[in-house]
């Protein structure tokens, strides 16, 4: 069965090239039916009794001292009662290792969910689960075991999701531009390069002690490959007459300047410059100068708007119907300007310190106050100064050159306030430090925590859509597994900075969603609980290329590469997007880098 699953049908890399060369319009329309798999109705009770379709757990494993649980989804005649029990058994001799009761977690996405917590099992080994529900006995597959190991998510994934797949993507990149082929097509977006580079920086700064010296050299080499490509995008913008400093989104297919991309470029150029300075001093100096140019251009020329005849802007942002982009900075871009200022300061450019303070004030001014709470949620942020709808976790609508895409490209990082906490640690005596900490605390405790608690898995929602509600899978151009990695990073930082273990559970839940502890795929076999990291785990779902180490787009309410106005009724994981892309890997790597480190520990500092 595993062999069948691993050899599942996919669209080859070369077919994607032919489609793109033919027409960017046909790219979406001709292949959309192959790219999203409609989740089928529940199997009948005979299939259910086989057990696999309704029992989901991590296909990669659980850390010895971390939370451990599986999820069971009701269906048909099998409905657990309060006394429903489970047993965890060793695969070696089938002896009981632990037993417990299922706990009802509530209704969500049209289903009823139960959790089996086996966190007390802290012995390394391989196990399987047996459920006893009335007269029904349901088991997980012993040949797809539950693994309990030390640092299992880190050890199983970090190299494959970084160095392994990046080597392949570098070989398949544009020539002579370089960089990485970043998704299922031949496209190479600047924004995905920035966040992949950022994840390598997170590896370097927070988890380097876990990495062998030879692999550290490989990380530096990949940093150069990716950052040189940022320079190519900057040079192309100048060549096209945009000025000396901005960057194009993509030098061949999307030669447009996007507001958020120049701050992103400035941030990553400065951060990489600091990391590679010792081994590549000339490159470092060049990156700093490029960073300054990108920052200064954005400061004086942005924001840039793109409008179109569709209502896609309204759909993506949860804005009033018919609204077009205003001439205002999005909050996520102000956060990036703050972060770029901070990275420039850390790289020796002291003159940017005050810019960091000023952009932090602009961000704080956008925070939703308690008296304006959205169904009890506050502490998150309005998208603009002049409108009262709030920012979404992800707004990326693909790379192709169309007006609605041009405005909604590259918003990969959800509510990413980690740089604001870093400022609080660098400048502990600054007059705004209490405000920085309160801003992040209000977000963490009054939005992030209660929002993740509104689903049984603890995953970060897509955002609150005014007049609709808090949604998980809607308003997207395709699934965005990257946000769960970033949610893992945010929760890990909150756990240590605020010394609050409940955030650690949220961090682990978001990361484990990608490994198979999710809502489940259709069918009555063990592929229901498949990992979404290609080639890693007992069972996994392939992307178009079966590229080991890449991560797929993930679950979505509507078809991949389709936008539709969201409704609460439609907000279910109804489709699976099977395109693989490095921005999901970037979120994952940042997530595990923070999760497996002591970064932002108040005790450490």
């Amino acid at each position: 069965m595993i062999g069948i699953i691993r050899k599942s049908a996919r669209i080859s890399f070369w077919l994607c090239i032919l489609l793109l060369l033919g027409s960017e319009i046909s790219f979406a329309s001709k292949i959309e039916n192959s790219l999203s798999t409609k989740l089928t109705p529940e199997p009948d009770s005979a299939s259910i009794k086989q057990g696999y379709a309704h029992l989901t757990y991590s296909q990669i494993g659980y850390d010895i001292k971390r939370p451990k649980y599986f999820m069971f989804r009701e269906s048909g005649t099998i409905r657990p009662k309060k006394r429903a029990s489970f047993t965890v058994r060793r695969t070696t001799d089938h002896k009981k290792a632990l037993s417990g009761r299922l706990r009802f977690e509530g209704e969500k996405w049209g289903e009823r969910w139960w959790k089996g917590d086996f966190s007390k099992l802290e012995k390394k080994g391989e196990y399987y689960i047996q459920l006893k529900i009335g007269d029904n006995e349901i088991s997980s597959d012993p040949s797809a075991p539950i693994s309990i190991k030390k640092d299992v998510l880190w050890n199983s994934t970090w190299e494959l999701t970084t160095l392994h797949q990046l080597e392949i993507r570098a070989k398949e990149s544009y020539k002579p531009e370089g960089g990485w082929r970043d998704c299922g097509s031949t496209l190479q977006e600047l924004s995905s390069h920035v966040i992949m580079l950022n994840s390598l920086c997170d590896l370097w700064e927070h988890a380097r002690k876990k990495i062998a010296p030879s692999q550290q050299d490989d990380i530096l080499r990949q940093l150069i490959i990716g950052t040189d490509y940022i320079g190519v995008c900057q040079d192309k913008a100048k060549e096209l007459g945009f000025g000396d400093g901005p960057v194009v989104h993509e030098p061949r297919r999307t030669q447009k300047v996007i507001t958020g991309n120049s701050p992103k470029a400035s941030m990553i150029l400065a951060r990489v410059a600091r990391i590679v300075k010792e081994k590549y001093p000339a490159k470092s100096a060049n990156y700093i100068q490029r960073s300054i140019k990108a920052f200064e251009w954005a400061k004086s020329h942005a924001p840039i708007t793109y409008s179109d005849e569709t209502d896609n802007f309204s759909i993506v942002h949860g804005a009033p119907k018919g609204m077009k982009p205003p001439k205002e900075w999005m909050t996520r871009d102000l956060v990036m300007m703050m972060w770029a200022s901070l990275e420039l300061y850390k790289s020796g450019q002291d003159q940017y310190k005050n810019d960091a303070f000023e952009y932090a004030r602009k961000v704080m001014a956008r925070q939703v106050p308690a008296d304006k709470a959205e169904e009890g949620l506050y502490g998150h942020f309005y998208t603009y100064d002049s409108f009262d709808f709030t920012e979404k976790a992800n707004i990326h609508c693909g790379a192709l050159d169309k007006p609605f895409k041009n405005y909604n490209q590259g918003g990969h990082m959800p509510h990413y306030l980690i740089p604001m906490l870093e400022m609080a640690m660098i400048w502990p005596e600054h007059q705004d430090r209490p405000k920085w900490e309160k801003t992040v605390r209000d977000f963490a405790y009054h939005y992030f925590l209660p929002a993740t608690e509104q689903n049984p898995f603890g995953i970060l929602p897509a955002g609150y859509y005014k007049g609709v509600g808090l949604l998980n899978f809607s308003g997207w151009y395709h699934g965005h597994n990257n946000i769960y990695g970033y949610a893992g990073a945010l929760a890990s930082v909150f756990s240590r900075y605020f010394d609050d273990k409940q955030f650690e559970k949220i961090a682990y839940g978001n990361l484990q969603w990608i490994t198979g502890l999710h809502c489940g795929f259709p069918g009555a076999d063990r592929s229901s609980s498949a990992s979404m990291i290609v080639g890693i785990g007992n069972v996994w779902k392939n992307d178009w290329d079966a590229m080991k180490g890449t991560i797929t787009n993930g679950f979505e309410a509507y078809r991949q590469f389709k936008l539709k106005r969201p409704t609460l009724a439609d907000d279910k994981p109804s489709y699976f997007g099977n395109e693989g892309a490095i921005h999901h890997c970037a979120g994952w790597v940042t997530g595990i880098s923070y999760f497996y480190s002591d970064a932002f520990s108040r005790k450490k500092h």
Side-chain angles (χ1 to χ4, degrees):
M1 175 61 71
I2 290 179
I4 295 173
I5 296 167
R6 292 179 181 176
K7 295 178 181 178
S8 62
R10 59 189 183 271
I11 297 177
S12 71
F13 168 55
W14 295 110
L15 177 56
C16 291
I17 291 177
L18 291 173
L19 287 166
L20 281 165
L21 290 176
S23 167
E24 65 185 42
I25 296 175
S26 66
F27 172 73
S29 62
K30 289 184 179 180
I31 62 178
E32 68 177 48
N33 292 330
S34 300
L35 305 185
S36 288
T37 304
K38 176 65 173 160
L39 303 192
T40 57
E42 297 288 321
D44 60 29
S45 57
S47 297
I48 292 169
K49 290 179 182 179
Q50 298 176 28
Y52 308 122
H54 300 277
L55 185 64
T56 66
Y57 56 95
S58 174
Q59 295 297 317
I60 295 176
Y62 299 83
D63 289 289
I64 292 173
K65 297 290 185 179
R66 306 286 191 175
K68 306 174 194 70
Y69 59 90
F70 64 88
M71 296 298 291
F72 179 76
R73 184 181 67 217
E74 280 189 19
S75 184
T77 60
I78 302 180
R79 305 192 69 175
K81 305 296 183 183
K82 290 182 179 180
R83 304 291 294 174
S85 64
F86 70 90
T87 302
V88 182
R89 297 187 180 277
R90 297 195 296 256
T91 58
T92 52
D93 57 13
H94 307 289
K95 289 186 177 181
K96 182 176 76 173
L98 180 143
S99 61
R101 300 283 183 190
L102 291 181
R103 185 179 72 197
F104 183 56
E105 291 292 305
E107 297 186 21
K108 192 69 175 177
W109 311 318
E111 305 286 353
R112 289 168 56 87
W113 301 93
W114 297 74
K115 177 183 287 185
D117 192 322
F118 56 102
S119 299
K120 292 181 179 179
L121 180 55
E122 295 185 344
K123 188 173 182 179
K124 179 181 177 181
E126 293 188 339
Y127 305 87
Y128 66 98
I129 298 164
Q130 286 185 327
L131 298 181
K132 178 70 174 176
I133 303 175
D135 295 330
N136 298 288
E137 290 189 359
I138 299 173
S139 295
S140 65
D141 186 349
S143 68
I146 293 170
S147 297
I148 298 179
K149 300 177 183 177
K150 181 181 179 181
D151 296 349
V152 64
L153 299 187
W154 171 268
N155 291 330
S156 301
T157 68
W158 86 262
E159 185 176 7
L160 289 170
T161 54
T162 55
L163 300 177
H164 174 82
Q165 60 130 3
L166 289 180
E167 287 288 347
I168 297 172
R169 292 186 180 280
K171 292 175 182 177
E172 296 178 349
S173 68
Y174 289 152
K175 300 295 184 294
E177 292 95 328
W180 306 298
R181 180 173 75 90
D182 67 4
C183 59
S185 72
T186 58
L187 296 164
Q188 296 184 200
E189 299 178 78
L190 177 128
S191 58
S192 60
H193 278 67
V194 168
I195 61 172
M196 190 70 233
L197 287 164
N198 186 67
S199 73
L200 295 178
C201 293
D202 289 333
L203 275 182
W204 188 266
E205 296 195 319
H206 305 308
R208 189 177 4 155
K209 63 184 179 181
K210 295 177 176 290
I211 300 171
S214 61
Q215 293 170 313
Q216 292 180 23
D217 289 340
D218 290 337
I219 290 173
L220 292 176
R221 184 168 54 82
Q222 290 296 338
L223 282 171
I224 296 300
I225 290 172
T227 312
D228 280 353
Y229 183 74
I230 305 298
V232 169
C233 293
Q234 192 173 54
D235 292 341
K236 175 59 72 171
K238 184 177 181 180
E239 175 189 324
L240 293 172
F242 290 111
D244 190 9
V247 289
V248 294
H249 188 72
E250 216 270 359
R252 292 198 182 188
R253 304 283 293 180
T254 313
Q255 297 177 345
K256 293 290 193 300
V257 173
I258 315 300
T259 297
N261 278 349
S262 293
K264 289 185 188 74
S266 177
M267 180 280 293
I268 202 62
L269 284 162
R271 191 175 186 192
V272 173
R274 189 178 69 255
I275 289 173
V276 305
K277 185 175 181 179
E278 182 177 346
K279 188 164 185 177
Y280 301 99
K283 290 281 189 185
S284 176
N286 176 262
Y287 295 161
I288 286 292
Q289 292 307 307
R290 287 182 176 277
S291 173
I292 291 171
K293 289 180 180 180
F295 185 89
E296 293 296 341
W297 187 93
K299 189 176 178 180
S300 59
H301 290 80
I304 299 168
T305 61
Y306 292 92
S307 188
D308 69 311
E309 298 306 314
T310 73
D311 203 26
N312 290 324
F313 168 82
S314 170
I315 293 171
V316 171
H317 292 268
K321 191 172 183 178
M323 181 178 170
K324 304 303 179 185
K327 191 71 173 179
E328 297 184 27
W329 286 83
M330 284 189 275
T331 300
R332 62 186 349 112
D333 296 336
L334 294 176
V335 170
M336 194 58 65
M337 287 293 280
M338 177 187 73
W339 192 0
S341 308
L342 175 62
E343 291 298 339
L344 280 165
Y345 170 81
K346 289 167 64 180
S347 297
Q349 305 300 311
D350 292 357
Q351 68 271 30
Y352 289 98
K353 177 172 64 174
N354 289 330
D355 286 292
F357 304 153
E358 182 58 30
Y359 281 106
R361 294 184 188 108
K362 292 177 183 292
V363 171
M364 291 189 292
R366 300 271 185 92
Q367 191 164 36
V368 177
D371 62 354
K372 300 286 187 179
E374 298 181 306
E375 294 185 16
L377 301 171
Y378 66 96
H380 50 317
F381 298 86
Y382 296 115
T383 309
Y384 305 104
D385 282 323
S386 304
F387 301 90
D388 65 352
F389 56 89
T390 48
E391 195 156 72
K392 307 305 179 281
N394 193 300
I395 62 163
H396 184 63
C397 287
L400 297 176
D401 189 0
K402 295 181 180 181
F404 86 92
K405 292 175 181 287
N406 296 149
Y407 189 78
N408 300 305
Q409 286 170 328
H412 303 293
M413 304 181 83
H415 323 296
Y416 206 69
L417 295 176
I418 291 175
M420 189 173 283
L421 285 183
E422 188 173 5
M423 288 169 60
M425 300 178 84
I426 291 174
W427 295 295
E429 304 302 321
H430 192 274
Q431 62 180 4
D432 284 349
R433 182 195 176 180
K435 296 178 181 179
W436 300 334
E437 290 186 330
K438 184 180 185 303
T439 296
V440 180
R441 180 181 287 274
D442 283 350
F443 169 77
Y445 282 94
H446 301 298
Y447 179 79
F448 187 86
L449 181 62
T452 56
E453 288 177 338
Q454 291 191 31
N455 65 82
F457 297 86
I459 57 172
L460 181 66
Y464 185 86
Y465 288 74
K466 197 171 184 65
V468 180
L470 189 68
L471 304 181
N472 285 96
F473 306 107
S474 303
W476 288 351
Y477 182 66
H478 56 61
H480 289 297
N481 268 335
N482 54 291
I483 72 172
Y484 309 122
Y486 287 122
L490 286 165
S492 297
V493 170
F494 297 159
S495 175
R496 287 188 288 271
Y497 198 88
F498 300 124
D499 193 22
D500 191 337
K501 288 291 186 182
Q502 63 182 327
F503 288 106
E504 181 184 304
K505 295 180 180 179
I506 296 171
Y508 211 46
N510 277 272
L511 294 172
Q512 291 286 30
W513 174 271
I514 297 173
T515 73
L517 183 55
H518 49 55
C519 54
F521 294 101
D525 58 32
R526 59 188 170 183
S527 67
S528 172
S529 185
S531 161
M532 290 185 276
I533 310 179
V534 178
I536 304 179
N538 301 313
V539 196
W540 62 82
K541 289 291 186 182
N542 272 333
D543 71 326
W544 305 351
D545 306 302
M547 185 184 293
K548 192 171 186 178
T550 198
I551 298 176
T552 52
N553 286 340
F555 294 102
E556 49 205 44
Y558 306 113
R559 284 189 179 276
Q560 194 166 235
F561 310 135
K562 288 288 186 181
L563 278 172
K564 186 177 178 181
R565 185 166 296 280
T567 67
L568 197 59
D570 286 346
D571 190 52
K572 301 174 183 178
S574 300
Y575 293 87
F576 169 65
N578 62 347
E579 180 196 24
I582 63 172
H583 46 273
H584 306 312
C585 296
W588 173 264
V589 173
T590 286
I592 62 172
S593 295
Y594 278 105
F595 188 77
Y596 287 102
S597 76
D598 60 358
F600 288 85
S601 170
R602 297 296 291 272
K603 296 175 182 178
K604 176 182 176 183
H605 292 272

